[in-house]
Amino acid sequence: MGVGGVPPQALLWLFLISFIALATPLNPDDPNVCSHWESYAVTVQESYAHPFDQVYYTRCTDILNWFKCTRHRISYKTAYRRGVRTMYRRRSQCCPGFFESGSLCVRREEAAMS
């Protein structure tokens, strides 16, 4: 037997039904449902041009270095880093004066009368 003499299967079903009721979204077509845009951050991997010093040799008139001179130039290679991108989504919530009850928005006065 489960809690208070209730079979464990009944407790499991009760839990699942209450979980589904909580997970049911509000209907955006309901006149008591208001919506707004909200931002949220997403971590992404982005590529960028990473500069590095490239050494090369060229012929020159430097007799002490066997007519070779060292030169430098900035080159770029593709590298990756983590970045944060701001995304936007529409969020539904009950309008002012209403509260969420399952998947419905109920007027506060109606709830007090019940």
Side-chain angles (χ1 to χ4, degrees), residues 2-17:
V3 179
V6 179
Q9 296 86 356
L11 289 174
L12 178 63
W13 278 110
L14 183 63
F15 171 76
L16 288 174
I17 290 171

Side-chain angles (χ1 to χ4, degrees), residues 5-114:
V6 179
Q9 296 86 356
L11 289 174
L12 178 63
W13 278 110
L14 183 63
F15 171 76
L16 288 174
I17 290 171
S18 64
F19 180 75
I20 291 171
L22 288 175
T24 306
L26 294 173
N27 180 1
D29 295 330
D30 186 342
N32 303 326
V33 174
C34 294
S35 64
H36 67 278
W37 287 97
E38 74 175 8
S39 62
Y40 62 101
V42 176
T43 303
V44 294
Q45 186 172 8
E46 58 188 14
S47 62
Y48 70 102
H50 181 72
F52 67 96
D53 183 30
Q54 184 177 28
V55 177
Y56 67 99
Y57 301 98
T58 176
R59 297 177 67 76
C60 64
T61 59
D62 188 357
I63 204 167
L64 297 175
N65 285 323
W66 297 95
F67 303 104
K68 280 202 273 183
C69 291
T70 304
R71 299 281 186 250
H72 297 266
R73 69 175 153 226
I74 301 296
S75 292
Y76 297 88
K77 63 181 174 183
T78 302
Y80 297 91
R81 64 183 169 205
R82 288 182 189 255
V84 177
R85 181 165 292 146
T86 302
M87 304 291 284
Y88 297 91
R89 63 181 163 213
R90 201 151 191 61
R91 192 64 133 194
S92 296
Q93 65 184 30
C94 292
C95 295
F98 294 85
F99 72 96
E100 192 170 336
S101 175
S103 63
L104 300 174
C105 290
V106 180
R107 185 177 296 280
R108 291 193 188 283
E109 295 84 34
E110 291 174 10
M113 297 170 112
S114 301

